[in-house]
Structures are given as C-alpha cells and as structure tokens.
Amino acid sequence: NGLIPATELFCYELANIIDIATPNYRIIEMLDNTLAFGSEWEGGVKSLEQVLDKDGKVDVPNFTDFASKLYALDLFVNNIDRHFANYLFRDSYDGKLISLAFDFSKAWYANNDKNPFAFDCLEQDSNTYICKCSLKEDGNLNSVIVEDLIRVFLKLTPFELKFLIPYLLNIVYKVTNPHSLIVLLLNL
C-alpha cells in the first residue's frame, strides 16, 4: 500500500506530540533505490512475558497512562491492528522499564482511504478492540485519560492538524512519491 509510509510518518509524529514514546525512525533507501519509512532497531527489548508480574499483568512504570494514550490515538487514527506485539518494552537510560509504540501501518489512510477517521478499529474482530478489552480487564486502561485525549483530538481543526505539513514535507522531501503525501495532508 503506497499510503503506509505517509500514515506511519503522520502517526509517529502525532504520537510524539502527545508524549507517546516511539522508536526513532528514518527515511531509508531500499535496494531498488526507492525510499521508505523505517523504524530504527531498538536494542535491549524485552518480551511481553519478561515484563509480566506474577499475576500475568504488565509491570512497567506508567504503563496504564501509556496504553490509555495509545488507545486514544489508535481510535483517532482508526488503527485496526494494535496488539501486544506492537508494544516495545526496554530499559531506559535510568534503568527503569519504558513502553514504546510502533506500527501504524493499518491506520488512517493506509486502513481506509475513503474515510481515514472512521471507526473500523471498534469492530469486535479488530486487533485494537481485542487489545483494548485485554487492557481493560487487567486494569491497564484509564477511561479518563482516553476520554480527555479524544476530546483534545476532536477539538483539533483541519488547520491545526496542518501545522505538521511543513515539518512532514521537509522529512519526506526525497520520498519516491512525495506528491501523494502532499495530497493526503492538504485534504485533511
């Protein structure tokens, strides 16, 4: 899907704006000389099993806040594919465990190019819905955080979303088909 790089870039930047940690990314050159979006490799990543406590719940500082903000973002960008394999856990520089989010390849325009702000992610068979149910069952979903962040997103105007355009265009200046990203962003 040619919209995946633009979607990943948009979602990573939006995640960073609302303080959801993500791996660093680069625009990378592929073997065929085309350019693509790529997350940098994260060293020292721990598996989900390694961060579970004796009761089988995620034991990472601030995980509930992180997961709640990420769920709100996934709702906003209609990400249908959030699951626990799309969470990274690693030691921070201070030795504490941190959570990072990655993989927005089934969100926004890459998921639904006719209506990127639909709510396909709420369908009961979507990975995002299934993950949300698990988070809620384990007490790792704070509905106040989710609702507050959704309110913030809903107050954004197309003009406010477009503040990202100059920044994003600068990043993807050399992308194989920057015109598609420009069209997507201008039509927000």
Side-chain angles (χ1 to χ4, degrees):
N1 181 331
L3 301 174
I4 290 174
T7 294
E8 290 275 6
L9 183 61
F10 177 78
C11 294
Y12 265 61
E13 287 303 318
L14 196 53
N16 286 320
I17 288 168
I18 60 172
D19 294 321
I20 295 174
T22 60
N24 291 327
Y25 66 84
R26 296 279 184 259
I27 304 299
I28 57 173
E29 187 171 352
M30 304 298 285
L31 294 175
D32 65 359
N33 295 324
T34 60
L35 299 177
F37 179 94
S39 296
E40 289 185 3
W41 187 264
E42 286 284 335
V45 172
K46 301 194 181 300
S47 70
L48 179 61
E49 292 75 26
Q50 291 175 297
V51 299
L52 297 177
D53 65 16
K54 62 181 174 65
D55 296 322
K57 296 182 180 181
V58 175
D59 187 21
V60 176
N62 302 310
F63 180 71
T64 298
D65 291 356
F66 170 84
S68 300
K69 289 194 300 186
L70 183 57
Y71 179 62
L73 176 60
D74 284 336
L75 288 174
F76 182 67
V77 298
N78 193 28
N79 183 5
I80 62 169
D81 196 33
R82 178 67 54 211
H83 49 80
F84 283 107
N86 289 345
Y87 288 83
L88 292 177
F89 305 101
R90 70 166 171 79
D91 288 322
S92 182
Y93 300 108
D94 63 4
K96 294 179 183 172
L97 278 174
I98 61 169
S99 306
L100 296 95
F102 74 102
D103 192 0
F104 294 91
S105 65
K106 292 189 179 174
W108 200 43
Y109 277 96
N111 172 29
N112 186 336
D113 64 354
K114 300 203 181 354
N115 186 2
F117 297 109
F119 290 101
D120 304 324
C121 60
L122 293 175
E123 297 292 327
Q124 292 184 0
D125 62 343
S126 82
N127 285 337
T128 301
Y129 179 84
I130 294 165
C131 185
K132 183 264 311 190
C133 291
S134 178
L135 289 167
K136 190 173 180 180
E137 183 178 314
D138 288 345
N140 284 320
L141 196 63
N142 182 324
S143 62
V144 173
I145 292 172
V146 173
E147 291 169 13
D148 286 349
L149 195 48
I150 291 294
R151 282 189 191 95
V152 169
F153 286 139
L154 291 176
K155 289 180 183 177
L156 290 175
T157 65
F159 177 78
E160 290 170 316
L161 284 172
K162 287 181 185 181
F163 82 93
L164 284 172
I165 291 173
Y167 178 71
L168 294 175
L169 291 179
N170 184 45
I171 292 171
V172 298
Y173 177 72
K174 295 181 181 179
V175 171
T176 306
N177 187 2
H179 178 72
S180 64
L181 178 62
I182 293 167
V183 170
L184 290 175
L185 293 173
L186 292 176
N187 287 313
L188 282 174

PDB file of all heavy atoms in Angstrom, residues 52-87:
ATOM      1  N   LEU A  52       5.797  -9.160  32.614  1.00  0.00           N
ATOM      2  CA  LEU A  52       4.585  -9.506  33.347  1.00  0.00           C
ATOM      3  C   LEU A  52       4.913  -9.811  34.800  1.00  0.00           C
ATOM      4  O   LEU A  52       5.943 -10.432  35.098  1.00  0.00           O
ATOM      5  CB  LEU A  52       3.896 -10.718  32.710  1.00  0.00           C
ATOM      6  CG  LEU A  52       3.396 -10.542  31.285  1.00  0.00           C
ATOM      7  CD1 LEU A  52       2.798 -11.858  30.772  1.00  0.00           C
ATOM      8  CD2 LEU A  52       2.382  -9.416  31.187  1.00  0.00           C
ATOM      9  N   ASP A  53       4.034  -9.392  35.707  1.00  0.00           N
ATOM     10  CA  ASP A  53       4.228  -9.729  37.110  1.00  0.00           C
ATOM     11  C   ASP A  53       3.697 -11.136  37.376  1.00  0.00           C
ATOM     12  O   ASP A  53       3.253 -11.828  36.454  1.00  0.00           O
ATOM     13  CB  ASP A  53       3.564  -8.685  38.017  1.00  0.00           C
ATOM     14  CG  ASP A  53       2.045  -8.634  37.899  1.00  0.00           C
ATOM     15  OD1 ASP A  53       1.434  -9.580  37.350  1.00  0.00           O
ATOM     16  OD2 ASP A  53       1.456  -7.637  38.364  1.00  0.00           O
ATOM     17  N   LYS A  54       3.730 -11.556  38.627  1.00  0.00           N
ATOM     18  CA  LYS A  54       3.313 -12.923  38.970  1.00  0.00           C
ATOM     19  C   LYS A  54       1.840 -13.185  38.680  1.00  0.00           C
ATOM     20  O   LYS A  54       1.420 -14.325  38.521  1.00  0.00           O
ATOM     21  CB  LYS A  54       3.632 -13.236  40.431  1.00  0.00           C
ATOM     22  CG  LYS A  54       2.922 -12.355  41.437  1.00  0.00           C
ATOM     23  CD  LYS A  54       3.326 -12.727  42.861  1.00  0.00           C
ATOM     24  CE  LYS A  54       2.760 -11.791  43.880  1.00  0.00           C
ATOM     25  NZ  LYS A  54       1.331 -11.780  44.024  1.00  0.00           N
ATOM     26  N   ASP A  55       1.044 -12.109  38.557  1.00  0.00           N
ATOM     27  CA  ASP A  55      -0.381 -12.259  38.236  1.00  0.00           C
ATOM     28  C   ASP A  55      -0.653 -12.166  36.735  1.00  0.00           C
ATOM     29  O   ASP A  55      -1.805 -12.177  36.302  1.00  0.00           O
ATOM     30  CB  ASP A  55      -1.202 -11.188  38.962  1.00  0.00           C
ATOM     31  CG  ASP A  55      -1.122 -11.336  40.473  1.00  0.00           C
ATOM     32  OD1 ASP A  55      -1.113 -12.488  40.960  1.00  0.00           O
ATOM     33  OD2 ASP A  55      -1.056 -10.298  41.159  1.00  0.00           O
ATOM     34  N   GLY A  56       0.422 -12.064  35.941  1.00  0.00           N
ATOM     35  CA  GLY A  56       0.265 -12.003  34.486  1.00  0.00           C
ATOM     36  C   GLY A  56      -0.102 -10.636  33.950  1.00  0.00           C
ATOM     37  O   GLY A  56      -0.574 -10.512  32.821  1.00  0.00           O
ATOM     38  N   LYS A  57       0.140  -9.578  34.738  1.00  0.00           N
ATOM     39  CA  LYS A  57      -0.168  -8.217  34.302  1.00  0.00           C
ATOM     40  C   LYS A  57       1.129  -7.475  33.969  1.00  0.00           C
ATOM     41  O   LYS A  57       2.175  -7.733  34.568  1.00  0.00           O
ATOM     42  CB  LYS A  57      -0.942  -7.473  35.379  1.00  0.00           C
ATOM     43  CG  LYS A  57      -2.297  -8.108  35.641  1.00  0.00           C
ATOM     44  CD  LYS A  57      -3.090  -7.342  36.661  1.00  0.00           C
ATOM     45  CE  LYS A  57      -4.428  -8.047  36.872  1.00  0.00           C
ATOM     46  NZ  LYS A  57      -5.259  -7.369  37.820  1.00  0.00           N
ATOM     47  N   VAL A  58       1.039  -6.566  33.016  1.00  0.00           N
ATOM     48  CA  VAL A  58       2.207  -5.792  32.608  1.00  0.00           C
ATOM     49  C   VAL A  58       2.721  -4.982  33.802  1.00  0.00           C
ATOM     50  O   VAL A  58       1.960  -4.248  34.438  1.00  0.00           O
ATOM     51  CB  VAL A  58       1.868  -4.850  31.428  1.00  0.00           C
ATOM     52  CG1 VAL A  58       3.055  -3.956  31.091  1.00  0.00           C
ATOM     53  CG2 VAL A  58       1.440  -5.663  30.215  1.00  0.00           C
ATOM     54  N   ASP A  59       3.997  -5.131  34.110  1.00  0.00           N
ATOM     55  CA  ASP A  59       4.618  -4.448  35.243  1.00  0.00           C
ATOM     56  C   ASP A  59       5.678  -3.481  34.722  1.00  0.00           C
ATOM     57  O   ASP A  59       6.885  -3.739  34.806  1.00  0.00           O
ATOM     58  CB  ASP A  59       5.231  -5.478  36.198  1.00  0.00           C
ATOM     59  CG  ASP A  59       5.741  -4.853  37.483  1.00  0.00           C
ATOM     60  OD1 ASP A  59       5.290  -3.740  37.830  1.00  0.00           O
ATOM     61  OD2 ASP A  59       6.599  -5.479  38.136  1.00  0.00           O
ATOM     62  N   VAL A  60       5.217  -2.392  34.138  1.00  0.00           N
ATOM     63  CA  VAL A  60       6.082  -1.354  33.586  1.00  0.00           C
ATOM     64  C   VAL A  60       5.576  -0.030  34.140  1.00  0.00           C
ATOM     65  O   VAL A  60       4.366   0.234  34.098  1.00  0.00           O
ATOM     66  CB  VAL A  60       6.026  -1.348  32.039  1.00  0.00           C
ATOM     67  CG1 VAL A  60       6.837  -0.210  31.460  1.00  0.00           C
ATOM     68  CG2 VAL A  60       6.508  -2.682  31.483  1.00  0.00           C
ATOM     69  N   PRO A  61       6.469   0.813  34.687  1.00  0.00           N
ATOM     70  CA  PRO A  61       6.015   2.102  35.222  1.00  0.00           C
ATOM     71  C   PRO A  61       5.203   2.896  34.195  1.00  0.00           C
ATOM     72  O   PRO A  61       5.553   2.949  33.017  1.00  0.00           O
ATOM     73  CB  PRO A  61       7.329   2.835  35.554  1.00  0.00           C
ATOM     74  CG  PRO A  61       8.323   1.743  35.773  1.00  0.00           C
ATOM     75  CD  PRO A  61       7.916   0.643  34.818  1.00  0.00           C
ATOM     76  N   ASN A  62       4.119   3.476  34.643  1.00  0.00           N
ATOM     77  CA  ASN A  62       3.250   4.335  33.826  1.00  0.00           C
ATOM     78  C   ASN A  62       2.625   3.622  32.630  1.00  0.00           C
ATOM     79  O   ASN A  62       2.204   4.279  31.672  1.00  0.00           O
ATOM     80  CB  ASN A  62       4.010   5.583  33.367  1.00  0.00           C
ATOM     81  CG  ASN A  62       4.551   6.373  34.531  1.00  0.00           C
ATOM     82  OD1 ASN A  62       3.832   6.672  35.475  1.00  0.00           O
ATOM     83  ND2 ASN A  62       5.829   6.685  34.481  1.00  0.00           N
ATOM     84  N   PHE A  63       2.553   2.299  32.676  1.00  0.00           N
ATOM     85  CA  PHE A  63       2.003   1.578  31.531  1.00  0.00           C
ATOM     86  C   PHE A  63       0.535   1.926  31.287  1.00  0.00           C
ATOM     87  O   PHE A  63       0.100   2.053  30.140  1.00  0.00           O
ATOM     88  CB  PHE A  63       2.169   0.062  31.677  1.00  0.00           C
ATOM     89  CG  PHE A  63       1.615  -0.698  30.509  1.00  0.00           C
ATOM     90  CD1 PHE A  63       2.255  -0.644  29.284  1.00  0.00           C
ATOM     91  CD2 PHE A  63       0.428  -1.417  30.616  1.00  0.00           C
ATOM     92  CE1 PHE A  63       1.734  -1.314  28.173  1.00  0.00           C
ATOM     93  CE2 PHE A  63      -0.096  -2.090  29.520  1.00  0.00           C
ATOM     94  CZ  PHE A  63       0.560  -2.033  28.302  1.00  0.00           C
ATOM     95  N   THR A  64      -0.237   2.080  32.340  1.00  0.00           N
ATOM     96  CA  THR A  64      -1.664   2.401  32.158  1.00  0.00           C
ATOM     97  C   THR A  64      -1.829   3.726  31.425  1.00  0.00           C
ATOM     98  O   THR A  64      -2.638   3.829  30.496  1.00  0.00           O
ATOM     99  CB  THR A  64      -2.394   2.417  33.515  1.00  0.00           C
ATOM    100  OG1 THR A  64      -2.314   1.111  34.087  1.00  0.00           O
ATOM    101  CG2 THR A  64      -3.853   2.820  33.359  1.00  0.00           C
ATOM    102  N   ASP A  65      -1.064   4.742  31.818  1.00  0.00           N
ATOM    103  CA  ASP A  65      -1.138   6.035  31.128  1.00  0.00           C
ATOM    104  C   ASP A  65      -0.717   5.884  29.669  1.00  0.00           C
ATOM    105  O   ASP A  65      -1.371   6.407  28.769  1.00  0.00           O
ATOM    106  CB  ASP A  65      -0.245   7.075  31.811  1.00  0.00           C
ATOM    107  CG  ASP A  65      -0.762   7.489  33.178  1.00  0.00           C
ATOM    108  OD1 ASP A  65      -1.854   7.036  33.590  1.00  0.00           O
ATOM    109  OD2 ASP A  65      -0.068   8.276  33.841  1.00  0.00           O
ATOM    110  N   PHE A  66       0.382   5.166  29.447  1.00  0.00           N
ATOM    111  CA  PHE A  66       0.881   4.947  28.093  1.00  0.00           C
ATOM    112  C   PHE A  66      -0.164   4.225  27.240  1.00  0.00           C
ATOM    113  O   PHE A  66      -0.506   4.659  26.140  1.00  0.00           O
ATOM    114  CB  PHE A  66       2.184   4.132  28.141  1.00  0.00           C
ATOM    115  CG  PHE A  66       2.655   3.655  26.809  1.00  0.00           C
ATOM    116  CD1 PHE A  66       3.413   4.472  25.991  1.00  0.00           C
ATOM    117  CD2 PHE A  66       2.339   2.373  26.356  1.00  0.00           C
ATOM    118  CE1 PHE A  66       3.845   4.027  24.742  1.00  0.00           C
ATOM    119  CE2 PHE A  66       2.766   1.921  25.117  1.00  0.00           C
ATOM    120  CZ  PHE A  66       3.523   2.762  24.311  1.00  0.00           C
ATOM    121  N   ALA A  67      -0.685   3.110  27.742  1.00  0.00           N
ATOM    122  CA  ALA A  67      -1.645   2.309  26.982  1.00  0.00           C
ATOM    123  C   ALA A  67      -2.933   3.091  26.729  1.00  0.00           C
ATOM    124  O   ALA A  67      -3.538   2.967  25.659  1.00  0.00           O
ATOM    125  CB  ALA A  67      -1.942   1.002  27.721  1.00  0.00           C
ATOM    126  N   SER A  68      -3.341   3.908  27.677  1.00  0.00           N
ATOM    127  CA  SER A  68      -4.564   4.702  27.523  1.00  0.00           C
ATOM    128  C   SER A  68      -4.387   5.764  26.450  1.00  0.00           C
ATOM    129  O   SER A  68      -5.271   5.968  25.603  1.00  0.00           O
ATOM    130  CB  SER A  68      -4.938   5.348  28.860  1.00  0.00           C
ATOM    131  OG  SER A  68      -5.160   4.358  29.842  1.00  0.00           O
ATOM    132  N   LYS A  69      -3.248   6.457  26.468  1.00  0.00           N
ATOM    133  CA  LYS A  69      -2.988   7.462  25.431  1.00  0.00           C
ATOM    134  C   LYS A  69      -2.868   6.803  24.063  1.00  0.00           C
ATOM    135  O   LYS A  69      -3.378   7.321  23.064  1.00  0.00           O
ATOM    136  CB  LYS A  69      -1.724   8.267  25.756  1.00  0.00           C
ATOM    137  CG  LYS A  69      -1.909   9.199  26.930  1.00  0.00           C
ATOM    138  CD  LYS A  69      -0.815  10.230  27.080  1.00  0.00           C
ATOM    139  CE  LYS A  69       0.547   9.677  27.270  1.00  0.00           C
ATOM    140  NZ  LYS A  69       1.562  10.702  27.546  1.00  0.00           N
ATOM    141  N   LEU A  70      -2.223   5.647  24.012  1.00  0.00           N
ATOM    142  CA  LEU A  70      -2.068   4.950  22.738  1.00  0.00           C
ATOM    143  C   LEU A  70      -3.421   4.482  22.212  1.00  0.00           C
ATOM    144  O   LEU A  70      -3.694   4.590  21.009  1.00  0.00           O
ATOM    145  CB  LEU A  70      -1.098   3.780  22.881  1.00  0.00           C
ATOM    146  CG  LEU A  70      -0.793   3.011  21.599  1.00  0.00           C
ATOM    147  CD1 LEU A  70      -0.240   3.936  20.505  1.00  0.00           C
ATOM    148  CD2 LEU A  70       0.184   1.877  21.889  1.00  0.00           C
ATOM    149  N   TYR A  71      -4.281   4.005  23.095  1.00  0.00           N
ATOM    150  CA  TYR A  71      -5.612   3.582  22.657  1.00  0.00           C
ATOM    151  C   TYR A  71      -6.394   4.777  22.101  1.00  0.00           C
ATOM    152  O   TYR A  71      -7.048   4.670  21.058  1.00  0.00           O
ATOM    153  CB  TYR A  71      -6.378   2.909  23.800  1.00  0.00           C
ATOM    154  CG  TYR A  71      -7.766   2.489  23.403  1.00  0.00           C
ATOM    155  CD1 TYR A  71      -7.974   1.551  22.395  1.00  0.00           C
ATOM    156  CD2 TYR A  71      -8.881   3.049  24.016  1.00  0.00           C
ATOM    157  CE1 TYR A  71      -9.249   1.177  22.007  1.00  0.00           C
ATOM    158  CE2 TYR A  71     -10.156   2.672  23.629  1.00  0.00           C
ATOM    159  CZ  TYR A  71     -10.342   1.746  22.630  1.00  0.00           C
ATOM    160  OH  TYR A  71     -11.608   1.382  22.248  1.00  0.00           O
ATOM    161  N   ALA A  72      -6.300   5.928  22.757  1.00  0.00           N
ATOM    162  CA  ALA A  72      -6.978   7.129  22.254  1.00  0.00           C
ATOM    163  C   ALA A  72      -6.441   7.510  20.880  1.00  0.00           C
ATOM    164  O   ALA A  72      -7.207   7.844  19.969  1.00  0.00           O
ATOM    165  CB  ALA A  72      -6.819   8.284  23.242  1.00  0.00           C
ATOM    166  N   LEU A  73      -5.120   7.438  20.709  1.00  0.00           N
ATOM    167  CA  LEU A  73      -4.525   7.739  19.405  1.00  0.00           C
ATOM    168  C   LEU A  73      -5.003   6.732  18.360  1.00  0.00           C
ATOM    169  O   LEU A  73      -5.368   7.116  17.242  1.00  0.00           O
ATOM    170  CB  LEU A  73      -2.998   7.739  19.487  1.00  0.00           C
ATOM    171  CG  LEU A  73      -2.259   7.946  18.161  1.00  0.00           C
ATOM    172  CD1 LEU A  73      -2.615   9.290  17.531  1.00  0.00           C
ATOM    173  CD2 LEU A  73      -0.755   7.823  18.375  1.00  0.00           C
ATOM    174  N   ASP A  74      -5.018   5.460  18.713  1.00  0.00           N
ATOM    175  CA  ASP A  74      -5.483   4.430  17.781  1.00  0.00           C
ATOM    176  C   ASP A  74      -6.933   4.675  17.363  1.00  0.00           C
ATOM    177  O   ASP A  74      -7.301   4.455  16.210  1.00  0.00           O
ATOM    178  CB  ASP A  74      -5.318   3.032  18.376  1.00  0.00           C
ATOM    179  CG  ASP A  74      -3.877   2.550  18.364  1.00  0.00           C
ATOM    180  OD1 ASP A  74      -3.080   3.036  17.543  1.00  0.00           O
ATOM    181  OD2 ASP A  74      -3.558   1.669  19.191  1.00  0.00           O
ATOM    182  N   LEU A  75      -7.759   5.125  18.297  1.00  0.00           N
ATOM    183  CA  LEU A  75      -9.138   5.467  17.950  1.00  0.00           C
ATOM    184  C   LEU A  75      -9.162   6.633  16.959  1.00  0.00           C
ATOM    185  O   LEU A  75      -9.878   6.595  15.962  1.00  0.00           O
ATOM    186  CB  LEU A  75      -9.942   5.852  19.199  1.00  0.00           C
ATOM    187  CG  LEU A  75     -10.320   4.740  20.160  1.00  0.00           C
ATOM    188  CD1 LEU A  75     -10.989   5.322  21.398  1.00  0.00           C
ATOM    189  CD2 LEU A  75     -11.221   3.720  19.489  1.00  0.00           C
ATOM    190  N   PHE A  76      -8.373   7.655  17.237  1.00  0.00           N
ATOM    191  CA  PHE A  76      -8.373   8.852  16.401  1.00  0.00           C
ATOM    192  C   PHE A  76      -7.913   8.555  14.978  1.00  0.00           C
ATOM    193  O   PHE A  76      -8.463   9.073  14.018  1.00  0.00           O
ATOM    194  CB  PHE A  76      -7.492   9.937  17.029  1.00  0.00           C
ATOM    195  CG  PHE A  76      -7.462  11.220  16.252  1.00  0.00           C
ATOM    196  CD1 PHE A  76      -8.598  12.008  16.138  1.00  0.00           C
ATOM    197  CD2 PHE A  76      -6.295  11.632  15.629  1.00  0.00           C
ATOM    198  CE1 PHE A  76      -8.570  13.196  15.418  1.00  0.00           C
ATOM    199  CE2 PHE A  76      -6.258  12.814  14.911  1.00  0.00           C
ATOM    200  CZ  PHE A  76      -7.403  13.600  14.799  1.00  0.00           C
ATOM    201  N   VAL A  77      -6.892   7.703  14.844  1.00  0.00           N
ATOM    202  CA  VAL A  77      -6.354   7.408  13.509  1.00  0.00           C
ATOM    203  C   VAL A  77      -6.916   6.110  12.942  1.00  0.00           C
ATOM    204  O   VAL A  77      -6.462   5.640  11.907  1.00  0.00           O
ATOM    205  CB  VAL A  77      -4.800   7.389  13.499  1.00  0.00           C
ATOM    206  CG1 VAL A  77      -4.246   8.746  13.878  1.00  0.00           C
ATOM    207  CG2 VAL A  77      -4.242   6.286  14.390  1.00  0.00           C
ATOM    208  N   ASN A  78      -7.908   5.549  13.636  1.00  0.00           N
ATOM    209  CA  ASN A  78      -8.592   4.348  13.158  1.00  0.00           C
ATOM    210  C   ASN A  78      -7.623   3.200  12.881  1.00  0.00           C
ATOM    211  O   ASN A  78      -7.660   2.562  11.839  1.00  0.00           O
ATOM    212  CB  ASN A  78      -9.430   4.666  11.907  1.00  0.00           C
ATOM    213  CG  ASN A  78     -10.402   3.560  11.563  1.00  0.00           C
ATOM    214  OD1 ASN A  78     -10.843   2.820  12.431  1.00  0.00           O
ATOM    215  ND2 ASN A  78     -10.728   3.438  10.295  1.00  0.00           N
ATOM    216  N   ASN A  79      -6.747   2.942  13.847  1.00  0.00           N
ATOM    217  CA  ASN A  79      -5.782   1.849  13.720  1.00  0.00           C
ATOM    218  C   ASN A  79      -6.456   0.536  14.101  1.00  0.00           C
ATOM    219  O   ASN A  79      -6.820   0.338  15.255  1.00  0.00           O
ATOM    220  CB  ASN A  79      -4.579   2.093  14.630  1.00  0.00           C
ATOM    221  CG  ASN A  79      -3.512   1.035  14.475  1.00  0.00           C
ATOM    222  OD1 ASN A  79      -3.604   0.149  13.622  1.00  0.00           O
ATOM    223  ND2 ASN A  79      -2.492   1.113  15.301  1.00  0.00           N
ATOM    224  N   ILE A  80      -6.609  -0.346  13.137  1.00  0.00           N
ATOM    225  CA  ILE A  80      -7.312  -1.616  13.389  1.00  0.00           C
ATOM    226  C   ILE A  80      -6.388  -2.730  13.877  1.00  0.00           C
ATOM    227  O   ILE A  80      -6.848  -3.834  14.161  1.00  0.00           O
ATOM    228  CB  ILE A  80      -8.050  -2.095  12.121  1.00  0.00           C
ATOM    229  CG1 ILE A  80      -7.079  -2.370  10.978  1.00  0.00           C
ATOM    230  CG2 ILE A  80      -9.138  -1.112  11.725  1.00  0.00           C
ATOM    231  CD1 ILE A  80      -7.694  -3.083   9.783  1.00  0.00           C
ATOM    232  N   ASP A  81      -5.092  -2.448  13.988  1.00  0.00           N
ATOM    233  CA  ASP A  81      -4.143  -3.544  14.227  1.00  0.00           C
ATOM    234  C   ASP A  81      -3.233  -3.318  15.430  1.00  0.00           C
ATOM    235  O   ASP A  81      -2.065  -3.678  15.408  1.00  0.00           O
ATOM    236  CB  ASP A  81      -3.303  -3.772  12.974  1.00  0.00           C
ATOM    237  CG  ASP A  81      -2.585  -5.114  12.998  1.00  0.00           C
ATOM    238  OD1 ASP A  81      -3.143  -6.074  13.567  1.00  0.00           O
ATOM    239  OD2 ASP A  81      -1.472  -5.203  12.462  1.00  0.00           O
ATOM    240  N   ARG A  82      -3.742  -2.744  16.513  1.00  0.00           N
ATOM    241  CA  ARG A  82      -2.931  -2.629  17.737  1.00  0.00           C
ATOM    242  C   ARG A  82      -3.048  -3.943  18.491  1.00  0.00           C
ATOM    243  O   ARG A  82      -4.131  -4.424  18.788  1.00  0.00           O
ATOM    244  CB  ARG A  82      -3.433  -1.470  18.608  1.00  0.00           C
ATOM    245  CG  ARG A  82      -2.682  -1.315  19.922  1.00  0.00           C
ATOM    246  CD  ARG A  82      -1.240  -0.899  19.772  1.00  0.00           C
ATOM    247  NE  ARG A  82      -1.159   0.309  18.966  1.00  0.00           N
ATOM    248  CZ  ARG A  82      -0.129   0.606  18.178  1.00  0.00           C
ATOM    249  NH1 ARG A  82       0.919  -0.204  18.112  1.00  0.00           N
ATOM    250  NH2 ARG A  82      -0.131   1.713  17.463  1.00  0.00           N
ATOM    251  N   HIS A  83      -1.915  -4.538  18.794  1.00  0.00           N
ATOM    252  CA  HIS A  83      -1.867  -5.762  19.588  1.00  0.00           C
ATOM    253  C   HIS A  83      -0.572  -5.732  20.376  1.00  0.00           C
ATOM    254  O   HIS A  83       0.268  -4.850  20.181  1.00  0.00           O
ATOM    255  CB  HIS A  83      -1.979  -7.015  18.706  1.00  0.00           C
ATOM    256  CG  HIS A  83      -1.055  -7.005  17.528  1.00  0.00           C
ATOM    257  ND1 HIS A  83       0.278  -7.340  17.629  1.00  0.00           N
ATOM    258  CD2 HIS A  83      -1.274  -6.670  16.234  1.00  0.00           C
ATOM    259  CE1 HIS A  83       0.843  -7.222  16.443  1.00  0.00           C
ATOM    260  NE2 HIS A  83      -0.067  -6.817  15.578  1.00  0.00           N
ATOM    261  N   PHE A  84      -0.407  -6.666  21.287  1.00  0.00           N
ATOM    262  CA  PHE A  84       0.741  -6.590  22.197  1.00  0.00           C
ATOM    263  C   PHE A  84       2.085  -6.808  21.509  1.00  0.00           C
ATOM    264  O   PHE A  84       3.118  -6.466  22.067  1.00  0.00           O
ATOM    265  CB  PHE A  84       0.555  -7.538  23.383  1.00  0.00           C
ATOM    266  CG  PHE A  84      -0.411  -6.996  24.400  1.00  0.00           C
ATOM    267  CD1 PHE A  84      -1.678  -7.543  24.518  1.00  0.00           C
ATOM    268  CD2 PHE A  84      -0.074  -5.925  25.197  1.00  0.00           C
ATOM    269  CE1 PHE A  84      -2.591  -7.040  25.436  1.00  0.00           C
ATOM    270  CE2 PHE A  84      -0.965  -5.401  26.117  1.00  0.00           C
ATOM    271  CZ  PHE A  84      -2.226  -5.957  26.236  1.00  0.00           C
ATOM    272  N   ALA A  85       2.094  -7.325  20.296  1.00  0.00           N
ATOM    273  CA  ALA A  85       3.357  -7.425  19.560  1.00  0.00           C
ATOM    274  C   ALA A  85       3.757  -6.064  18.978  1.00  0.00           C
ATOM    275  O   ALA A  85       4.856  -5.924  18.452  1.00  0.00           O
ATOM    276  CB  ALA A  85       3.255  -8.471  18.454  1.00  0.00           C
ATOM    277  N   ASN A  86       2.864  -5.063  19.083  1.00  0.00           N
ATOM    278  CA  ASN A  86       3.170  -3.704  18.625  1.00  0.00           C
ATOM    279  C   ASN A  86       3.519  -2.775  19.784  1.00  0.00           C
ATOM    280  O   ASN A  86       3.457  -1.559  19.657  1.00  0.00           O
ATOM    281  CB  ASN A  86       1.982  -3.112  17.844  1.00  0.00           C
ATOM    282  CG  ASN A  86       1.812  -3.763  16.504  1.00  0.00           C
ATOM    283  OD1 ASN A  86       2.702  -4.444  16.016  1.00  0.00           O
ATOM    284  ND2 ASN A  86       0.663  -3.556  15.908  1.00  0.00           N
ATOM    285  N   TYR A  87       3.835  -3.356  20.917  1.00  0.00           N
ATOM    286  CA  TYR A  87       4.353  -2.619  22.064  1.00  0.00           C
ATOM    287  C   TYR A  87       5.799  -3.075  22.232  1.00  0.00           C
ATOM    288  O   TYR A  87       6.093  -4.261  22.112  1.00  0.00           O
ATOM    289  CB  TYR A  87       3.623  -2.994  23.353  1.00  0.00           C
ATOM    290  CG  TYR A  87       2.209  -2.480  23.478  1.00  0.00           C
ATOM    291  CD1 TYR A  87       1.145  -3.153  22.897  1.00  0.00           C
ATOM    292  CD2 TYR A  87       1.945  -1.347  24.224  1.00  0.00           C
ATOM    293  CE1 TYR A  87      -0.159  -2.702  23.041  1.00  0.00           C
ATOM    294  CE2 TYR A  87       0.648  -0.887  24.376  1.00  0.00           C
ATOM    295  CZ  TYR A  87      -0.396  -1.569  23.788  1.00  0.00           C
ATOM    296  OH  TYR A  87      -1.683  -1.128  23.938  1.00  0.00           O
TER     297      TYR A  87
END
